[in-house]
C-alpha cells in the first residue's frame, strides 16, 4: 500500500501543485525497486486509461511517467522565478494520451466539430451586434460617439467618453469560445465559454462599479477605494476594491464558486436579511455558495484547476463524470447523451491541454470503458 504522504505527492504532481522538493521525494520513492509495483498498481487503479484494452507494457508506462516527472523537476529548477500556478507541468493523463496515440492509429469515424455560434453584444436599446473575431470594429453609443473598440478577441471601452447615467451593454460568449473584455476603468475580464456579462459602458463617479454575470469569468480589477467593484451572480454579490479572482456561476451548476488569486474579496448573500456577516476570502481560498441551502463554505484550493480554462486547458481533480460532461459541452460546443448511467457518480482525475474533442473522448472512453458515437455535435455515450 502506498504511504499517504507519497500518494499526496502523486496527486499534487497530477494537479500541478507539486514543488521541486515534492518531485524529488516522489522520484526517490519510485526509483526504489520495491515500490515500482506499488506505483504501477496505483496508476492502474486511479488512472485506468493507462491500462485499458490495449494493455501497454506497465514498465514502459511507469518509465515514461518517471521521465516526465524528472523533466518537470528540471524545468522548475531552470525557472525558479516563475511563481504560483504559472509553471508548466505534464499530467499523467496527458502522457497516456500520447502513448495511446502511438499505439493505435485507428480512430472512430467522426464528423468534424466546428463551433458555429457567434459572440454577440447587446446594446442599451436592445440592438444585438455580432462580434467578428477577425475584424476591428468601433462600438458606438446612442448619440453616435465611439464608446469602445473591438479588435480581434478583445473589446475595450474608452474612459474618456462623456456619460451622465449608467448605460449597459451585455456581452455573450457561446459554447466553444472565449473572449476578453476591458471595462472603462481598465478592469480586465476574461470570459469563458457559455458566459454572459452585463456591464456599464462607463462607470459613473460616486456609484459602485457593478456588473452582472451568468457563467464564468476571471477578473483583474483595477483598484479604486472610492468605487468598490461588485460582481452580482444570481443571489450572490462579490465585493472587491482591487484584486484578481475567478467566479463560476453557470445556471446548471449546484454552486457558485469564487476563487481568490490575490487581494481580498467579500461574498454576500443578497437575499439574507438576518444580519449575517459576509465571508471574506484570502488568496488560494474557494468560496462556494450552495444554491440549495443558501450557505457559503470556504476552503483552501488549488488555483490552477479553476483558472486553466483561460488557456483552453481542463484540470479535473476527482470530478464527477456528469460535471466533466458539462465542462466539455461548454469548451467544445457539443451536446452529450449518456446512456451509461452507472458512470454518473464516478469521479475522475485528468488533465487535457491541447487535445481536441476526438482525443478527449478517446481518452475518457478508455479510462471508463465505454463506447461512444459522434454525429455532428451530438455525442452519445453507451455501455
Amino acid at each position: 500500500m502506498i504511504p499517504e504522504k507519497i500518494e499526496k505527492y502523486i496527486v499534487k504532481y497530477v494537479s500541478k501543485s507539486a514543488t521541486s522538493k515534492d518531485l524529488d521525494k516522489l522520484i526517490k520513492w519510485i526509483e526504489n525497486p520495491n515500490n515500482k509495483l506499488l506505483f504501477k498498481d496505483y496508476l492502474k487503479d486511479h488512472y485506468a486509461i493507462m491500462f485499458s484494452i490495449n494493455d501497454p507494457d506497465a514498465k514502459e508506462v511507469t518509465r515514461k511517467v518517471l521521465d516526465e516527472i524528472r523533466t518537470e523537476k528540471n524545468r522548475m529548477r531552470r525557472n525558479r522565478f516563475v511563481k504560483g500556478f504559472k509553471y508548466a507541468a505534464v499530467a499523467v493523463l496527458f502522457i497516456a494520451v500520447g502513448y495511446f496515440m502511438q499505439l493505435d492509429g485507428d480512430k472512430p469515424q467522426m464528423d468534424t466539430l466546428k463551433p458555429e455560434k457567434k459572440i454577440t453584444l447587446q446594446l442599451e436599446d436592445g440592438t444585438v451586434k455580432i462580434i467578428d473575431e477577425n475584424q476591428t470594429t468601433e462600438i458606438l453609443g446612442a448619440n453616435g460617439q465611439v464608446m469602445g473598440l473591438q479588435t480581434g478577441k478583445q473589446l475595450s471601452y474608452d474612459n474618456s467618453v462623456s456619460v451622465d447615467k449608467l448605460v449597459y451593454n451585455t456581452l455573450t460568449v457561446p459554447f466553444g469560445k472565449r473572449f476578453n473584455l476591458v471595462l472603462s476603468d481598465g478592469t480586465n475580464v476574461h470570459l469563458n465559454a457559455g458566459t454572459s456579462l452585463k456591464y456599464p459602458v462607463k462607470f459613473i463617479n460616486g456609484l459602485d462599479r457593478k456588473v452582472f454575470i451568468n457563467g464564468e469569468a476571471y477578473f483583474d480589477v483595477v483598484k479604486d477605494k472610492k468605487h468598490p467593484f461588485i460582481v452580482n451572480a444570481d443571489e450572490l454579490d462579490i465585493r472587491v476594491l482591487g484584486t484578481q479572482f475567478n467566479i463560476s456561476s453557470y445556471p446548471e451548476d449546484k454552486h457558485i464558486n469564487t476563487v481568490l488569486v490575490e487581494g481580498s474579496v467579500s461574498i454576500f448573500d443578497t437575499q439574507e436579511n438576518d444580519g449575517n456577516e459576509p465571508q471574506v476570502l484570502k488568496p488560494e481560498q474557494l468560496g462556494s455558495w450552495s444554491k440549495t441551502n443558501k450557505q457559503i463554505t470556504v476552503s483552501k484550493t488549488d488555483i490552477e484547476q479553476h483558472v486553466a480554462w483561460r488557456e483552453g486547458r481542463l484540470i479535473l481533480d476527482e470530478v464527477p463524470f456528469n460535471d466533466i460532461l458539462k465542462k466539455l459541452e461548454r469548451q467544445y460546443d457539443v451536446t452529450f447523451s449518456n446512456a451509461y448511467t452507472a458512470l454518473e457518480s464516478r469521479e475522475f482525475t485528468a488533465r487535457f491541454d491541447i487535445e481536441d474533442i476526438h482525443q478527449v473522448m478517446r481518452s475518457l472512453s478508455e479510462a471508463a470503458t465505454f463506447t461512444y458515437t459522434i454525429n455532428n455535435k451530438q455525442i452519445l455515450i453507451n455501455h
Side-chain angles (χ1 to χ4, degrees):
M1 184 175 181
I2 290 183
E4 182 178 355
K5 182 167 62 176
I6 298 300
E7 184 175 13
K8 287 182 179 179
Y9 292 149
I10 298 174
V11 173
K12 288 174 71 175
Y13 166 67
V14 173
S15 64
K16 297 175 59 180
S17 61
T19 65
S20 181
K21 290 183 178 179
D22 292 337
L23 297 181
D24 278 332
K25 293 176 182 178
L26 179 57
I27 291 171
K28 184 177 181 180
W29 183 85
I30 295 174
E31 286 179 334
N32 185 322
N34 296 328
N35 296 330
K36 289 186 182 295
L37 182 60
L38 289 175
F39 183 61
K40 185 212 72 172
D41 290 339
Y42 183 88
L43 293 180
K44 184 175 181 179
D45 291 340
H46 293 77
Y47 305 100
I49 182 172
M50 291 187 168
F51 303 89
S52 64
I53 55 176
N54 289 316
D55 193 23
D57 183 1
K59 291 183 179 179
E60 176 65 10
V61 174
T62 303
R63 183 189 66 77
K64 286 179 176 289
V65 174
L66 190 55
D67 287 346
E68 289 295 340
I69 296 174
R70 289 196 186 99
T71 300
E72 172 58 17
K73 181 174 69 71
N74 292 334
R75 182 186 298 117
M76 290 175 67
R77 284 176 175 170
R78 292 194 303 269
N79 297 278
R80 289 175 182 266
F81 62 92
V82 180
K83 296 182 179 180
F85 61 85
K86 295 183 180 179
Y87 68 83
V90 181
V92 172
L93 181 58
F94 182 76
I95 302 167
V97 170
Y99 191 73
F100 275 100
M101 292 293 284
Q102 295 176 11
L103 282 174
D104 185 2
D106 296 330
K107 287 185 177 182
Q109 295 299 314
M110 296 178 281
D111 294 336
T112 302
L113 302 178
K114 296 181 179 179
E116 298 174 352
K117 300 174 184 177
K118 302 294 184 181
I119 298 171
T120 61
L121 179 67
Q122 182 175 332
L123 306 181
E124 177 80 2
D125 62 3
T127 302
V128 177
K129 295 183 177 295
I130 303 297
I131 298 293
D132 188 335
E133 300 162 77
N134 299 313
Q135 293 186 1
T136 296
T137 306
E138 292 181 336
I139 305 300
L140 305 179
N143 59 359
Q145 67 175 322
V146 178
M147 308 298 295
L149 181 67
Q150 176 254 322
T151 304
K153 296 182 179 182
Q154 178 170 292
L155 172 58
S156 301
Y157 283 83
D158 188 350
N159 196 40
S160 64
V161 298
S162 178
V163 176
D164 57 5
K165 66 176 183 178
L166 289 176
V167 176
Y168 288 92
N169 282 181
T170 301
L171 186 65
T172 300
V173 181
F175 284 2
K177 293 181 180 288
R178 299 186 302 277
F179 200 75
N180 190 47
L181 174 66
V182 181
L183 300 175
S184 63
D185 65 342
T187 291
N188 204 323
V189 188
H190 300 269
L191 303 178
N192 199 1
T195 298
S196 178
L197 185 73
K198 181 180 178 181
Y199 54 91
V201 297
K202 183 179 179 180
F203 295 111
I204 303 298
N205 188 39
L207 298 180
D208 290 342
R209 298 174 291 165
K210 190 168 187 176
V211 300
F212 304 83
I213 190 172
N214 190 330
E216 183 169 26
Y218 182 96
F219 289 84
D220 187 352
V221 179
V222 171
K223 190 173 184 178
D224 183 349
K225 292 183 178 180
K226 295 182 179 180
H227 302 92
F229 194 96
I230 299 174
V231 180
N232 174 261
D234 196 10
E235 299 177 24
L236 210 64
D237 276 354
I238 296 88
R239 180 186 177 98
V240 306
L241 293 176
T243 188
Q244 294 185 41
F245 64 98
N246 191 87
I247 179 169
S248 181
S249 176
Y250 287 105
E252 63 270 25
D253 289 346
K254 297 178 181 179
H255 296 83
I256 296 176
N257 293 325
T258 304
V259 175
L260 183 61
V261 177
E262 64 178 49
S264 177
V265 301
S266 299
I267 305 176
F268 299 80
D269 186 333
T270 61
Q271 303 301 309
E272 288 288 348
N273 297 308
D274 56 4
N276 282 0
E277 293 294 321
Q279 294 283 347
V280 178
L281 298 186
K282 297 179 180 179
E284 298 186 10
Q285 284 189 333
L286 163 69
S288 184
W289 182 78
S290 171
K291 295 179 182 179
T292 303
N293 61 25
K294 314 298 183 182
Q295 297 295 313
I296 300 172
T297 58
V298 177
S299 60
K300 187 174 178 59
T301 190
D302 170 36
I303 292 175
E304 190 175 13
Q305 66 177 298
H306 298 281
V307 303
W309 62 264
R310 293 190 303 159
E311 299 170 350
R313 298 183 293 124
L314 280 177
I315 298 177
L316 310 169
D317 185 12
E318 297 183 1
V319 177
F321 189 73
N322 272 1
D323 291 343
I324 293 177
L325 297 187
K326 292 177 186 178
K327 292 178 181 292
L328 295 178
E329 285 183 333
R330 297 165 191 157
Q331 180 149 328
Y332 294 101
D333 188 20
V334 296
T335 301
F336 285 96
S337 295
N338 182 17
Y340 190 2
T341 56
L343 288 175
E344 293 179 355
S345 59
R346 285 183 57 184
E347 295 183 341
F348 293 84
T349 293
R351 170 184 169 182
F352 299 108
D353 284 315
I354 59 174
E355 292 87 349
D356 60 24
I357 189 62
H358 310 302
Q359 294 168 313
V360 170
M361 290 307 301
R362 178 185 176 89
S363 300
L364 286 177
S365 66
E366 290 170 339
T369 61
F370 65 80
T371 62
Y372 65 94
T373 56
I374 297 182
N375 181 17
N376 196 14
K377 292 176 179 289
Q378 305 292 320
I379 302 179
L380 174 62
I381 295 175
N382 300 297
H383 194 285

